Amino acid sequence: MEKLQHVAPGDIETRSMEIIQSELGPTEYGALELPVVKRCIHTSADFDYGKNLAFTPEAVRTGVEAIKAGCTIVTDTQMAFSGVNKRVLEKFGGRAVCFMSDPEVAAEAKERGITRAAVSMERAAKLPGRVILAIGNAPTALIRACEMVEAGEFAPELIIGAPVGFVNVVESKNILEKTPGEHIVARGRKGGSNIAAAICNAMLYMASDNRRE
């Protein structure tokens, strides 16, 4: 019979992070980036995130500052929306939104022959205030967001690019890395709504810790 660890319910996450730190070993990530990396590993149990996450120099700092200023986090899936810790976000006056289930978005996408995810990014560009994009599924959302940034039609504070899959996934991430502005990218084919939400939550917890200080 396997010998189980006896860990109090409230200590499970702390113990998990200790195991992650131990198995992850030394990395080239800085003090701001490492909590994001560890949160992605904690969410997925996949240590590939210890090497495939890429950050622009001010990405995490910009994301945390936007959260503290009451930004809107726009996700490309209901799953990512569900995973974002809205309780913490709302403490700063922010909110999370997802346009994917909006009937008007669906109708417009059908009429134009494009994806709902792409139309959702166009809706996001019209939102007031600071916006963080958390894209964990649709390459078309990421590509459309980058197109609007390049055209000067959208200036999100941060783009999280973590689509998962095979068709245009890697290509969309490559486009993001060449697009002006702050971004966090899960390079390669891996990613997902859970990873996009985990990146948001890491920054939310960092913002909350700073608030307590």
Side-chain angles (χ1 to χ4, degrees), residues 117-145:
V119 177
S120 292
M121 294 300 104
E122 296 174 359
R123 293 293 177 94
K126 298 176 182 178
L127 292 173
R130 302 187 185 193
V131 172
I132 291 175
L133 297 181
I135 301 171
N137 183 69
T140 55
L142 190 52
I143 293 167
R144 185 67 186 115

Side-chain angles (χ1 to χ4, degrees), residues 30-54:
L32 289 178
E33 292 77 24
L34 190 56
V36 177
V37 173
K38 291 169 69 175
R39 181 62 54 182
C40 289
I41 295 172
H42 181 263
T43 294
S44 63
D46 188 342
F47 279 86
D48 280 356
Y49 290 105
K51 57 180 181 293
N52 71 4
L53 287 177

Side-chain angles (χ1 to χ4, degrees), residues 56-136:
T56 50
E58 295 298 317
V60 178
R61 190 185 308 278
T62 298
V64 171
E65 289 177 354
I67 287 167
K68 292 168 72 175
C71 73
T72 300
I73 296 177
V74 180
T75 70
D76 69 326
T77 64
Q78 291 293 343
M79 185 181 295
F81 171 81
S82 296
V84 172
N85 192 323
K86 291 173 281 295
R87 179 181 58 81
V88 175
L89 181 58
E90 289 165 2
K91 287 182 178 179
F92 295 99
R95 62 176 181 148
V97 299
C98 179
F99 296 109
M100 290 294 287
S101 298
D102 187 321
E104 293 183 0
V105 168
E108 181 176 345
K110 183 177 181 179
E111 180 181 349
R112 293 169 59 190
I114 62 175
T115 66
R116 288 180 297 156
V119 177
S120 292
M121 294 300 104
E122 296 174 359
R123 293 293 177 94
K126 298 176 182 178
L127 292 173
R130 302 187 185 193
V131 172
I132 291 175
L133 297 181
I135 301 171

